Structures are given as C-alpha cells and as structure tokens.
Amino acid sequence: MKGNPFEEFESLLERMEQGFEGGMDLQTRAGSTAVDVADRDEEFVVTADLPGYETEDIDLTIADDTLRIEADREVESEEEDDRYLRRERRRRSVSRSIPFPESVDAESVTASHTNGVLTVTVPKEFGSDEGHSIDIE
C-alpha cells in the first residue's frame, strides 16, 4: 500500500521550512510565532500571536533576562464518507526565546492570554544607587 500523497507533500513542506529557518536566528527556529516587544520605560511588553492555543497549552519561563514562550497542542481532524472514516492527529508546537537588553525583575512578571493573543509584562530591574565596597588586597 502506498503512502498518502498529502502526508508526503506535508513532509516535504516541513523539510523546506526547516531549510529556510536554518539561516534564521536560533531564537526563532523552532516553530516560530509572531512576537512584538515594546520598551515602555519601566517595563517591556511582549505580545505574541498564539491562535488556537488554550491558556493551559502555553508555558512561560524567564531566566537570565530571557523570556521563553512554549506552546504545544494536538490538532485533530475528521473526514467522513459513506464508507470511509479518516481521523488524523498532529501535534503543533511553537517556541520563542526573547532576550532583553536590560536586567528584568523576574519575580514581578505578569501575563494574560485573550483571543489567541498572549501579553507578557516584564518590569525592568533597577539597581540600587548605593555602591558596593570592594576590598583591595
């Protein structure tokens, strides 16, 4: 039995996409999603388009002044005919890392997800004006 020609075509498209992404920045290679990053004086606001993803499908982490967005969901489709039922399941994933040009306050990050748009507010961390004494040996 021959393979499904549509599956072969999708596989070819995925390989081509990976080839194009090979020249991209490593931060956008794994299943890219559109992201805007705004610098608003005291905070950064990251907006990411994640249509079709539920809030529980999204994982946010922040470390070393870099925000990581990961989203994973299962896509299911059905086609019915008088004699034929076909059911396909696929997994869709996106991942983005957004490094910030300044130190951020990881403890105070907030996020919301509405109508397929994720908004993450990342406050900047401002150092103390007090100096640190350095011992000289």
Side-chain angles (χ1 to χ4, degrees):
M1 181 171 149
K2 285 189 169 184
N4 181 339
F6 294 107
E7 287 176 5
E8 292 173 23
F9 183 69
E10 277 190 28
S11 175
L12 175 63
L13 287 176
E14 287 175 11
R15 287 193 312 258
M16 287 175 53
E17 182 178 329
Q18 288 172 354
F20 288 126
E21 290 177 348
M24 295 177 67
D25 183 27
L26 288 174
Q27 296 164 355
T28 60
R29 287 183 68 183
S32 190
T33 186
V35 174
D36 293 334
V37 181
D39 185 344
R40 298 204 175 132
D41 295 326
E42 308 240 340
E43 63 192 12
F44 295 104
V45 177
V46 178
T47 308
D49 291 336
L50 295 170
Y53 289 88
E54 300 294 328
T55 301
E56 56 271 2
D57 297 335
I58 303 168
D59 185 35
L60 294 175
T61 56
I62 191 161
D64 300 323
D65 298 326
T66 299
L67 175 68
R68 181 140 180 95
I69 302 170
E70 294 179 343
D72 190 28
R73 69 183 170 121
E74 195 168 289
V75 179
E76 193 174 306
S77 66
E78 281 187 30
E79 287 186 22
E80 234 177 291
D81 193 334
D82 290 338
R83 298 181 181 179
Y84 182 73
L85 173 69
R86 182 176 88 190
R87 189 174 195 153
E88 295 181 348
R89 290 181 174 211
R90 295 186 57 181
R91 204 157 191 81
R92 299 276 185 191
S93 299
V94 294
S95 177
R96 275 304 283 268
S97 290
I98 298 106
F100 297 105
E102 299 176 47
S103 293
V104 296
D105 182 2
E107 302 282 323
S108 302
V109 175
T110 59
S112 64
H113 180 240
T114 307
N115 297 327
V117 178
L118 174 70
T119 304
V120 184
T121 304
V122 184
K124 294 179 182 178
E125 185 172 72
F126 296 100
S128 170
D129 289 335
E130 298 175 21
H132 174 73
S133 177
I134 301 172
D135 294 329
I136 301 174
E137 293 183 26

